[in-house]
């Protein structure tokens, strides 16, 4: 199973240690409405991220990744939880997200990113992943399915989660 290192994009690259622990149950955030981007805008950002990643894969002569809504749902939940402060910016709970997907798989990997203050937050996140060895390895991996989840909170912080799956 592959795991990447998280990326914080505020002009600085911050690498956190790999995590694969299940997130303990926590109380919900005080204000669950602090995710402020409209669903259609989020869907557009997620689509743009997938397109940019598949363009990158094509440049490396790799096949495109197909978006699976079951995978995207888990990625979106993780991004929303990070954006709301319910969980910290990390890979914590990765094993739980993988189990929740319910797709028979050979391998799974995850990239996460965080940024704010950029006119194109998706491009910033994808470019940051490309520049990071661990993230780039996941993007270039022998995967066939993906799910992307993005969330933006009231502070203007964008959180990204991309899961990569090689199905059986």
């Amino acid at each position: 199973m592959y795991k990447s290192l998280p990326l914080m994009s505020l002009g600085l690259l911050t690498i956190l240690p790999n995590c694969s622990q299940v997130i303990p149950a926590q109380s919900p955030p005080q204000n669950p409405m602090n995710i402020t981007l409209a669903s259609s805008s989020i869907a557009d950002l997620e689509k743009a991220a997938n397109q940019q990643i598949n363009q990158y894969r094509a440049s490396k002569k790799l096949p495109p990744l197909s978006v699976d809504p079951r995978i995207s749902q888990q990625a979106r939940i993780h991004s929303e939880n990070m954006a709301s402060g319910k969980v910290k910016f990390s890979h914590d709970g990765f094993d739980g997200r993988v189990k929740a997907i319910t797709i028979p798989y050979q391998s799974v990997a995850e990239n996460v990113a965080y940024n704010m203050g950029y006119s194109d937050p998706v491009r910033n996140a994808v470019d940051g992943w490309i520049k990071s060895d661990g993230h780039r390895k996941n993007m270039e991996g022998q995967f066939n399915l993906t799910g992307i989840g993005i969330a933006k909170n009231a502070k203007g912080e964008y959180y990204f989660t991309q899961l990569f799956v090689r199905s059986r």
Side-chain angles (χ1 to χ4, degrees):
M1 189 175 327
Y2 299 97
K3 297 214 175 110
S4 69
L5 299 175
L7 170 69
M8 179 186 272
S9 300
L10 289 173
L12 297 171
L13 176 64
T14 301
I15 309 252
L16 301 174
N18 282 336
C19 299
S20 64
Q21 300 169 347
V22 176
I23 299 171
Q26 297 182 4
S27 59
Q30 295 297 326
N31 177 12
M33 298 309 294
N34 63 352
I35 308 299
T36 59
L37 206 54
S39 295
S40 62
S41 296
I42 289 289
D44 291 343
L45 292 175
E46 291 169 350
K47 186 182 291 186
N50 185 58
Q51 289 170 342
Q52 290 176 26
I53 288 176
N54 277 336
Q55 287 171 350
Y56 175 77
R57 286 178 62 87
S59 76
K60 300 296 181 186
K61 300 190 180 355
L62 296 168
L65 300 170
S66 298
V67 175
D68 185 292
R70 297 167 292 183
I71 303 169
S72 291
Q73 179 183 17
Q74 294 308 309
R76 194 172 299 114
I77 289 168
H78 185 54
S79 291
E80 289 171 353
N81 286 341
M82 289 188 295
S84 71
K86 184 176 182 179
V87 300
K88 64 184 178 180
F89 172 67
S90 72
H91 291 287
D92 289 358
F94 174 76
D95 293 339
R97 286 187 289 286
V98 171
K99 288 177 187 172
I101 291 169
T102 68
I103 296 172
Y105 65 89
Q106 294 177 6
S107 58
V108 181
E110 177 178 79
N111 285 352
V112 297
Y114 156 85
N115 67 49
M116 67 181 293
Y118 292 93
S119 61
D120 188 348
V122 171
R123 174 55 60 197
N124 178 264
V126 172
D127 285 349
W129 285 338
I130 291 169
K131 293 174 185 172
S132 165
D133 291 340
H135 294 99
R136 190 174 56 253
K137 179 182 175 184
N138 290 342
M139 291 173 64
E140 295 175 0
Q142 297 301 310
F143 301 105
N144 60 320
L145 300 174
T146 193
I148 300 170
I150 300 173
K152 179 184 177 187
N153 64 20
K155 298 178 201 171
E157 300 166 330
Y158 288 89
Y159 290 82
F160 301 78
T161 303
Q162 181 170 20
L163 290 161
F164 303 84
V165 176
R166 179 174 177 91
S167 60
R168 287 189 191 155

